Amino acid sequence: MSEEPNQAAEPPAVPESSGVDLARVALRAAKEQAKARGAAAQQKKQARRGGGLRSGARADGRDPLPLGAAINRLITERGWETPAAVGGVMGRWPQIVGADLANHCVPLRYEEDPDQRVLTVQCDSTAWATQLRLLAPRLVARLNEDLGHGTVRLIKVLGPGGPPRTYGALRAPGSVGPGDTYG
């Protein structure tokens, strides 16, 4: 009794779908077709009414927002997060730097370039400007704690602005003013 050893094995039998499985597939296809027909009918109905969406009982993207939420959405959409945060810091300047320094130094502007992010501060005397220059690294670290790492990379300190330059016959040429007070 010798059987051929090279005889090919039959592939496993695939179970045939029963009537219940075929009914489920047909029902699912019918539901999808009905849903598509219903959506098309709804679009036609809206087009007859003048098109567009109508207000309804449920909230959607067209509903009015509270002012704070609308402003936050606008800031996010426009990418103004960092300038808005820095503006908040300018409003809280006395709490951040202390009352003494805040009485003599005022933040003027924040400039954000791809390379540098500079906060410009003006002081009312050269002594306070020197003091702020010495405190600048700690102040940058403090601001970045509040605003996020790398928001402020440099603090540019300006001394006091001198009196307006007037030209005339009674003015000595080359004289700007007392050097220890005006810069």
Side-chain angles (χ1 to χ4, degrees):
M1 285 208 278
S2 130
E3 292 185 33
E4 294 182 25
N6 293 336
Q7 193 174 24
E10 293 183 21
V14 177
E16 292 185 21
S17 299
S18 67
V20 175
D21 292 333
L22 292 174
R24 284 186 184 138
V25 170
L27 179 62
R28 187 179 312 126
K31 283 183 178 180
E32 288 175 5
Q33 289 174 354
K35 188 185 252 186
R37 283 194 308 268
Q42 184 69 24
Q43 286 176 352
K44 285 182 184 178
K45 191 182 217 182
Q46 284 182 354
R48 275 185 266 143
R49 287 187 199 159
L53 297 173
R54 301 285 180 166
S55 293
R58 292 187 175 79
D60 61 7
R62 299 171 298 127
D63 288 341
L65 294 173
L67 183 61
I71 289 173
N72 288 338
R73 189 171 86 182
L74 179 68
I75 287 172
T76 303
E77 287 174 356
R78 302 283 172 107
W80 294 339
E81 290 93 358
T82 301
V86 172
V89 164
M90 289 183 178
R92 296 180 296 129
W93 184 253
Q95 289 87 17
I96 293 172
V97 298
D100 289 338
L101 198 59
N103 287 335
H104 299 283
C105 302
V106 179
L108 294 179
R109 65 184 164 271
Y110 175 75
E111 298 171 17
E112 186 173 3
D113 295 332
D115 298 332
Q116 291 187 349
R117 295 173 178 160
V118 180
L119 178 65
T120 304
V121 179
Q122 185 169 22
C123 299
D124 60 2
S125 71
T126 56
W128 282 104
T130 302
Q131 182 69 20
L132 187 63
R133 285 185 188 103
L134 293 173
L135 293 174
R138 290 195 330 205
L139 187 56
V140 167
R142 172 78 169 95
L143 290 171
N144 285 331
E145 284 177 15
D146 283 355
L147 303 173
H149 182 69
T151 303
V152 177
R153 294 187 183 163
L154 178 69
I155 294 181
K156 182 178 178 182
V157 180
L158 302 177
R165 294 187 179 185
T166 56
Y167 298 99
L170 299 177
R171 175 147 170 85
S175 171
V176 175
D180 62 337
T181 307
Y182 297 109

PDB file of all heavy atoms in Angstrom, residues 134-157:
ATOM      1  N   LEU A 134      22.390  95.073  36.083  1.00  0.00           N
ATOM      2  CA  LEU A 134      22.947  94.040  36.958  1.00  0.00           C
ATOM      3  C   LEU A 134      21.914  92.963  37.293  1.00  0.00           C
ATOM      4  O   LEU A 134      22.257  91.795  37.473  1.00  0.00           O
ATOM      5  CB  LEU A 134      23.474  94.679  38.248  1.00  0.00           C
ATOM      6  CG  LEU A 134      24.687  95.598  38.091  1.00  0.00           C
ATOM      7  CD1 LEU A 134      25.002  96.295  39.412  1.00  0.00           C
ATOM      8  CD2 LEU A 134      25.888  94.820  37.602  1.00  0.00           C
ATOM      9  N   LEU A 135      20.661  93.358  37.399  1.00  0.00           N
ATOM     10  CA  LEU A 135      19.593  92.411  37.724  1.00  0.00           C
ATOM     11  C   LEU A 135      19.000  91.716  36.500  1.00  0.00           C
ATOM     12  O   LEU A 135      18.149  90.840  36.646  1.00  0.00           O
ATOM     13  CB  LEU A 135      18.466  93.136  38.466  1.00  0.00           C
ATOM     14  CG  LEU A 135      18.797  93.672  39.858  1.00  0.00           C
ATOM     15  CD1 LEU A 135      17.627  94.487  40.387  1.00  0.00           C
ATOM     16  CD2 LEU A 135      19.109  92.521  40.795  1.00  0.00           C
ATOM     17  N   ALA A 136      19.424  92.097  35.304  1.00  0.00           N
ATOM     18  CA  ALA A 136      18.799  91.600  34.071  1.00  0.00           C
ATOM     19  C   ALA A 136      18.786  90.074  33.954  1.00  0.00           C
ATOM     20  O   ALA A 136      17.747  89.510  33.598  1.00  0.00           O
ATOM     21  CB  ALA A 136      19.457  92.237  32.855  1.00  0.00           C
ATOM     22  N   PRO A 137      19.876  89.347  34.222  1.00  0.00           N
ATOM     23  CA  PRO A 137      19.797  87.878  34.079  1.00  0.00           C
ATOM     24  C   PRO A 137      18.749  87.243  34.996  1.00  0.00           C
ATOM     25  O   PRO A 137      18.014  86.348  34.570  1.00  0.00           O
ATOM     26  CB  PRO A 137      21.213  87.409  34.453  1.00  0.00           C
ATOM     27  CG  PRO A 137      22.083  88.587  34.193  1.00  0.00           C
ATOM     28  CD  PRO A 137      21.250  89.787  34.504  1.00  0.00           C
ATOM     29  N   ARG A 138      18.652  87.729  36.241  1.00  0.00           N
ATOM     30  CA  ARG A 138      17.633  87.175  37.140  1.00  0.00           C
ATOM     31  C   ARG A 138      16.236  87.566  36.690  1.00  0.00           C
ATOM     32  O   ARG A 138      15.293  86.787  36.814  1.00  0.00           O
ATOM     33  CB  ARG A 138      17.880  87.650  38.571  1.00  0.00           C
ATOM     34  CG  ARG A 138      19.108  87.013  39.164  1.00  0.00           C
ATOM     35  CD  ARG A 138      19.221  87.150  40.630  1.00  0.00           C
ATOM     36  NE  ARG A 138      18.622  88.337  41.206  1.00  0.00           N
ATOM     37  CZ  ARG A 138      19.001  88.869  42.347  1.00  0.00           C
ATOM     38  NH1 ARG A 138      19.977  88.333  43.025  1.00  0.00           N
ATOM     39  NH2 ARG A 138      18.390  89.933  42.818  1.00  0.00           N
ATOM     40  N   LEU A 139      16.105  88.770  36.161  1.00  0.00           N
ATOM     41  CA  LEU A 139      14.797  89.218  35.688  1.00  0.00           C
ATOM     42  C   LEU A 139      14.353  88.432  34.458  1.00  0.00           C
ATOM     43  O   LEU A 139      13.181  88.082  34.327  1.00  0.00           O
ATOM     44  CB  LEU A 139      14.843  90.717  35.390  1.00  0.00           C
ATOM     45  CG  LEU A 139      13.521  91.390  35.053  1.00  0.00           C
ATOM     46  CD1 LEU A 139      12.504  91.168  36.161  1.00  0.00           C
ATOM     47  CD2 LEU A 139      13.736  92.869  34.822  1.00  0.00           C
ATOM     48  N   VAL A 140      15.284  88.125  33.557  1.00  0.00           N
ATOM     49  CA  VAL A 140      14.963  87.298  32.385  1.00  0.00           C
ATOM     50  C   VAL A 140      14.488  85.920  32.836  1.00  0.00           C
ATOM     51  O   VAL A 140      13.492  85.392  32.327  1.00  0.00           O
ATOM     52  CB  VAL A 140      16.176  87.182  31.432  1.00  0.00           C
ATOM     53  CG1 VAL A 140      15.968  86.094  30.404  1.00  0.00           C
ATOM     54  CG2 VAL A 140      16.433  88.509  30.740  1.00  0.00           C
ATOM     55  N   ALA A 141      15.182  85.335  33.821  1.00  0.00           N
ATOM     56  CA  ALA A 141      14.774  84.023  34.332  1.00  0.00           C
ATOM     57  C   ALA A 141      13.376  84.103  34.954  1.00  0.00           C
ATOM     58  O   ALA A 141      12.544  83.212  34.744  1.00  0.00           O
ATOM     59  CB  ALA A 141      15.789  83.526  35.354  1.00  0.00           C
ATOM     60  N   ARG A 142      13.106  85.159  35.690  1.00  0.00           N
ATOM     61  CA  ARG A 142      11.793  85.332  36.327  1.00  0.00           C
ATOM     62  C   ARG A 142      10.686  85.489  35.289  1.00  0.00           C
ATOM     63  O   ARG A 142       9.611  84.908  35.409  1.00  0.00           O
ATOM     64  CB  ARG A 142      11.845  86.557  37.258  1.00  0.00           C
ATOM     65  CG  ARG A 142      10.519  86.979  37.832  1.00  0.00           C
ATOM     66  CD  ARG A 142      10.096  86.081  38.972  1.00  0.00           C
ATOM     67  NE  ARG A 142       8.971  86.652  39.679  1.00  0.00           N
ATOM     68  CZ  ARG A 142       7.700  86.346  39.427  1.00  0.00           C
ATOM     69  NH1 ARG A 142       7.418  85.481  38.497  1.00  0.00           N
ATOM     70  NH2 ARG A 142       6.732  86.897  40.112  1.00  0.00           N
ATOM     71  N   LEU A 143      10.944  86.288  34.253  1.00  0.00           N
ATOM     72  CA  LEU A 143       9.945  86.480  33.199  1.00  0.00           C
ATOM     73  C   LEU A 143       9.688  85.180  32.450  1.00  0.00           C
ATOM     74  O   LEU A 143       8.551  84.869  32.088  1.00  0.00           O
ATOM     75  CB  LEU A 143      10.402  87.568  32.233  1.00  0.00           C
ATOM     76  CG  LEU A 143      10.396  88.994  32.787  1.00  0.00           C
ATOM     77  CD1 LEU A 143      11.079  89.938  31.823  1.00  0.00           C
ATOM     78  CD2 LEU A 143       8.984  89.454  33.075  1.00  0.00           C
ATOM     79  N   ASN A 144      10.730  84.411  32.181  1.00  0.00           N
ATOM     80  CA  ASN A 144      10.553  83.150  31.467  1.00  0.00           C
ATOM     81  C   ASN A 144       9.826  82.110  32.312  1.00  0.00           C
ATOM     82  O   ASN A 144       9.192  81.217  31.766  1.00  0.00           O
ATOM     83  CB  ASN A 144      11.899  82.623  30.974  1.00  0.00           C
ATOM     84  CG  ASN A 144      12.395  83.395  29.782  1.00  0.00           C
ATOM     85  OD1 ASN A 144      11.620  83.932  29.000  1.00  0.00           O
ATOM     86  ND2 ASN A 144      13.699  83.489  29.637  1.00  0.00           N
ATOM     87  N   GLU A 145       9.907  82.216  33.644  1.00  0.00           N
ATOM     88  CA  GLU A 145       9.097  81.336  34.493  1.00  0.00           C
ATOM     89  C   GLU A 145       7.616  81.625  34.284  1.00  0.00           C
ATOM     90  O   GLU A 145       6.798  80.712  34.220  1.00  0.00           O
ATOM     91  CB  GLU A 145       9.443  81.557  35.966  1.00  0.00           C
ATOM     92  CG  GLU A 145      10.736  80.954  36.415  1.00  0.00           C
ATOM     93  CD  GLU A 145      11.038  81.298  37.878  1.00  0.00           C
ATOM     94  OE1 GLU A 145      10.123  81.750  38.599  1.00  0.00           O
ATOM     95  OE2 GLU A 145      12.195  81.122  38.273  1.00  0.00           O
ATOM     96  N   ASP A 146       7.280  82.908  34.198  1.00  0.00           N
ATOM     97  CA  ASP A 146       5.880  83.291  34.021  1.00  0.00           C
ATOM     98  C   ASP A 146       5.374  83.037  32.609  1.00  0.00           C
ATOM     99  O   ASP A 146       4.241  82.606  32.418  1.00  0.00           O
ATOM    100  CB  ASP A 146       5.680  84.777  34.338  1.00  0.00           C
ATOM    101  CG  ASP A 146       5.655  85.055  35.821  1.00  0.00           C
ATOM    102  OD1 ASP A 146       5.705  84.095  36.608  1.00  0.00           O
ATOM    103  OD2 ASP A 146       5.584  86.240  36.185  1.00  0.00           O
ATOM    104  N   LEU A 147       6.202  83.326  31.606  1.00  0.00           N
ATOM    105  CA  LEU A 147       5.739  83.333  30.222  1.00  0.00           C
ATOM    106  C   LEU A 147       6.047  82.059  29.449  1.00  0.00           C
ATOM    107  O   LEU A 147       5.469  81.817  28.402  1.00  0.00           O
ATOM    108  CB  LEU A 147       6.367  84.514  29.468  1.00  0.00           C
ATOM    109  CG  LEU A 147       6.119  85.884  30.060  1.00  0.00           C
ATOM    110  CD1 LEU A 147       6.922  86.920  29.317  1.00  0.00           C
ATOM    111  CD2 LEU A 147       4.646  86.200  29.995  1.00  0.00           C
ATOM    112  N   GLY A 148       6.986  81.284  29.909  1.00  0.00           N
ATOM    113  CA  GLY A 148       7.418  80.118  29.155  1.00  0.00           C
ATOM    114  C   GLY A 148       8.858  80.303  28.734  1.00  0.00           C
ATOM    115  O   GLY A 148       9.328  81.420  28.491  1.00  0.00           O
ATOM    116  N   HIS A 149       9.567  79.207  28.634  1.00  0.00           N
ATOM    117  CA  HIS A 149      11.003  79.249  28.358  1.00  0.00           C
ATOM    118  C   HIS A 149      11.305  79.911  27.017  1.00  0.00           C
ATOM    119  O   HIS A 149      10.704  79.577  26.008  1.00  0.00           O
ATOM    120  CB  HIS A 149      11.583  77.834  28.368  1.00  0.00           C
ATOM    121  CG  HIS A 149      13.052  77.804  28.147  1.00  0.00           C
ATOM    122  ND1 HIS A 149      13.945  78.291  29.082  1.00  0.00           N
ATOM    123  CD2 HIS A 149      13.786  77.383  27.098  1.00  0.00           C
ATOM    124  CE1 HIS A 149      15.170  78.154  28.607  1.00  0.00           C
ATOM    125  NE2 HIS A 149      15.096  77.606  27.413  1.00  0.00           N
ATOM    126  N   GLY A 150      12.227  80.855  27.017  1.00  0.00           N
ATOM    127  CA  GLY A 150      12.677  81.504  25.792  1.00  0.00           C
ATOM    128  C   GLY A 150      11.820  82.657  25.315  1.00  0.00           C
ATOM    129  O   GLY A 150      12.058  83.190  24.244  1.00  0.00           O
ATOM    130  N   THR A 151      10.824  83.056  26.086  1.00  0.00           N
ATOM    131  CA  THR A 151       9.964  84.152  25.650  1.00  0.00           C
ATOM    132  C   THR A 151      10.725  85.463  25.632  1.00  0.00           C
ATOM    133  O   THR A 151      10.611  86.243  24.695  1.00  0.00           O
ATOM    134  CB  THR A 151       8.744  84.270  26.573  1.00  0.00           C
ATOM    135  OG1 THR A 151       8.067  83.012  26.576  1.00  0.00           O
ATOM    136  CG2 THR A 151       7.794  85.339  26.091  1.00  0.00           C
ATOM    137  N   VAL A 152      11.518  85.722  26.671  1.00  0.00           N
ATOM    138  CA  VAL A 152      12.368  86.908  26.729  1.00  0.00           C
ATOM    139  C   VAL A 152      13.803  86.423  26.807  1.00  0.00           C
ATOM    140  O   VAL A 152      14.162  85.655  27.702  1.00  0.00           O
ATOM    141  CB  VAL A 152      12.041  87.790  27.965  1.00  0.00           C
ATOM    142  CG1 VAL A 152      12.987  88.973  28.056  1.00  0.00           C
ATOM    143  CG2 VAL A 152      10.610  88.265  27.904  1.00  0.00           C
ATOM    144  N   ARG A 153      14.611  86.840  25.854  1.00  0.00           N
ATOM    145  CA  ARG A 153      16.011  86.428  25.849  1.00  0.00           C
ATOM    146  C   ARG A 153      16.952  87.549  26.277  1.00  0.00           C
ATOM    147  O   ARG A 153      18.056  87.281  26.714  1.00  0.00           O
ATOM    148  CB  ARG A 153      16.407  85.936  24.461  1.00  0.00           C
ATOM    149  CG  ARG A 153      15.692  84.669  24.077  1.00  0.00           C
ATOM    150  CD  ARG A 153      16.215  84.111  22.800  1.00  0.00           C
ATOM    151  NE  ARG A 153      15.450  82.928  22.446  1.00  0.00           N
ATOM    152  CZ  ARG A 153      15.441  82.398  21.247  1.00  0.00           C
ATOM    153  NH1 ARG A 153      16.146  82.936  20.287  1.00  0.00           N
ATOM    154  NH2 ARG A 153      14.720  81.330  21.010  1.00  0.00           N
ATOM    155  N   LEU A 154      16.499  88.793  26.141  1.00  0.00           N
ATOM    156  CA  LEU A 154      17.375  89.919  26.426  1.00  0.00           C
ATOM    157  C   LEU A 154      16.541  91.077  26.951  1.00  0.00           C
ATOM    158  O   LEU A 154      15.426  91.310  26.476  1.00  0.00           O
ATOM    159  CB  LEU A 154      18.099  90.344  25.134  1.00  0.00           C
ATOM    160  CG  LEU A 154      19.025  91.545  25.193  1.00  0.00           C
ATOM    161  CD1 LEU A 154      20.258  91.230  26.016  1.00  0.00           C
ATOM    162  CD2 LEU A 154      19.430  91.953  23.785  1.00  0.00           C
ATOM    163  N   ILE A 155      17.086  91.775  27.918  1.00  0.00           N
ATOM    164  CA  ILE A 155      16.459  93.005  28.401  1.00  0.00           C
ATOM    165  C   ILE A 155      17.360  94.146  27.986  1.00  0.00           C
ATOM    166  O   ILE A 155      18.529  94.198  28.366  1.00  0.00           O
ATOM    167  CB  ILE A 155      16.251  92.987  29.916  1.00  0.00           C
ATOM    168  CG1 ILE A 155      15.237  91.911  30.283  1.00  0.00           C
ATOM    169  CG2 ILE A 155      15.800  94.349  30.409  1.00  0.00           C
ATOM    170  CD1 ILE A 155      14.935  91.806  31.740  1.00  0.00           C
ATOM    171  N   LYS A 156      16.813  95.041  27.190  1.00  0.00           N
ATOM    172  CA  LYS A 156      17.549  96.221  26.733  1.00  0.00           C
ATOM    173  C   LYS A 156      17.175  97.361  27.673  1.00  0.00           C
ATOM    174  O   LYS A 156      16.013  97.728  27.785  1.00  0.00           O
ATOM    175  CB  LYS A 156      17.161  96.557  25.291  1.00  0.00           C
ATOM    176  CG  LYS A 156      17.899  97.720  24.708  1.00  0.00           C
ATOM    177  CD  LYS A 156      17.465  97.931  23.264  1.00  0.00           C
ATOM    178  CE  LYS A 156      18.154  99.122  22.655  1.00  0.00           C
ATOM    179  NZ  LYS A 156      17.698  99.337  21.273  1.00  0.00           N
ATOM    180  N   VAL A 157      18.176  97.906  28.344  1.00  0.00           N
ATOM    181  CA  VAL A 157      17.950  98.945  29.347  1.00  0.00           C
ATOM    182  C   VAL A 157      18.331 100.293  28.753  1.00  0.00           C
ATOM    183  O   VAL A 157      19.446 100.481  28.264  1.00  0.00           O
ATOM    184  CB  VAL A 157      18.772  98.661  30.621  1.00  0.00           C
ATOM    185  CG1 VAL A 157      18.519  99.745  31.657  1.00  0.00           C
ATOM    186  CG2 VAL A 157      18.428  97.294  31.182  1.00  0.00           C
TER     187      VAL A 157
END
